[in-house]
């Protein structure tokens, strides 16, 4: 079957001298250590702090991914990367006389090609990343077509459960109305969640934080949790649907290493869930219902 074929292919590759993921990651880590060291050496030049911050971001992400599995379940690589990069940005900003807020804002300048910050360079890679994800989706098109009703039904159920269920639970727990409404957007991508938060009068910044926490938590424990509940890697439809519809793009990224079919399904699931969620959330009567659920004592 397909699983046996994949196992044989991996075995043949290894016998031919192919690297295992751990060895490849160690080699990548050594390379980025050297790049980062060089980037800090050029700090006094006109290049300034941007190369150092760019290299630090990559190194901290690769380093976070290289930590033992037990550690990454608690401390996701994105958390490690964000913390180290923020510390580096603040420290290097101090050298230029910036306060903490200004130093962090300088990471994303959003001022055009003539004045790019390190974060702007990473955002420039998003188009290529989306195209690469699209290729995976195209390669799995037969699976997606065959399971389209399941995809639509499951994502619709998941998005409505997240939207109304989260708001209801948060309201019943006595959380402030604004917090409850903010949490209602936790299972969609940031770009969609910000729009939903604005429609409901919630804080966009806190909404993004809740989305990131949800995605990181799903990426950290989602795969193992699914396996324990009877959805091992040999069940890509279940795993892809669950990760994409609940942990959005961060959960999808967690599937990329070793689960290409589940990754494609997860990509479609996060898009469908986001579309359905946003469409329903834009209806004025639904907004009133959500506000009522959020304000219940």
């Amino acid at each position: 079957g397909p699983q046996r074929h994949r196992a044989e292919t991996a075995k043949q590759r290894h016998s031919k001298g192919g690297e295992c993921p751990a060895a490849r990651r160690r080699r990548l880590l050594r390379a980025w250590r050297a790049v980062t060291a060089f980037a800090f050496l050029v700090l006094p030049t006109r290049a300034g702090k941007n190369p150092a911050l760019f290299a630090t971001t990559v190194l901290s992400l690769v380093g976070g991914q290289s930590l033992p599995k037990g550690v990454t379940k608690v401390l996701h690589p994105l958390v490690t990367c964000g913390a180290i990069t923020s510390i580096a940005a603040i420290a290097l900003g101090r050298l230029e006389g910036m306060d903490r807020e200004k130093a962090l804002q300088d990471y994303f300048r959003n001022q055009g090609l003539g004045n790019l910050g390190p974060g702007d360079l990473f955002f420039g890679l998003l188009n290529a990343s989306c195209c690469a994800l699209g290729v995976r989706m195209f390669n799995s098109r037969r699976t997606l077509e065959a399971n389209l009703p399941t995809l639509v039904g499951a994502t619709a159920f998941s998005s409505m459960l997240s939207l109304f269920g989260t708001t209801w639970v948060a309201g019943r727990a006595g959380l402030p109305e604004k917090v409850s409404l903010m949490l209602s957007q936790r299972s969609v991508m940031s770009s969609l969640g910000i729009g939903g938060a604005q429609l409901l009068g919630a804080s966009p910044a806190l909404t993004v934080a809740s989305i990131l926490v949800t995605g990181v938590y799903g990426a950290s424990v989602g795969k193992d949790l699914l396996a324990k509940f009877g959805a091992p890697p040999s069940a890509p439809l279940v795993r892809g649907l669950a990760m994409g519809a609940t942990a959005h793009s961060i959960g999808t990224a967690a599937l990329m290493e070793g689960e290409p079919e589940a990754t494609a399904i997860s990509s479609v699931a996060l898009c469908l869930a986001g579309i359905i969620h946003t469409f329903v959330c834009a209806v004025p009567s639904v907004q009133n219902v959500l506000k009522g659920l959020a304000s219940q004592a």
Side-chain angles (χ1 to χ4, degrees), residues 238-265:
V238 178
R239 290 170 72 84
L241 273 171
M243 293 292 280
T246 58
H248 43 80
S249 53
I250 301 177
T252 301
L255 295 171
M256 284 186 174
E257 188 174 351
E259 299 187 47
E261 193 170 358
T263 300
I265 294 170

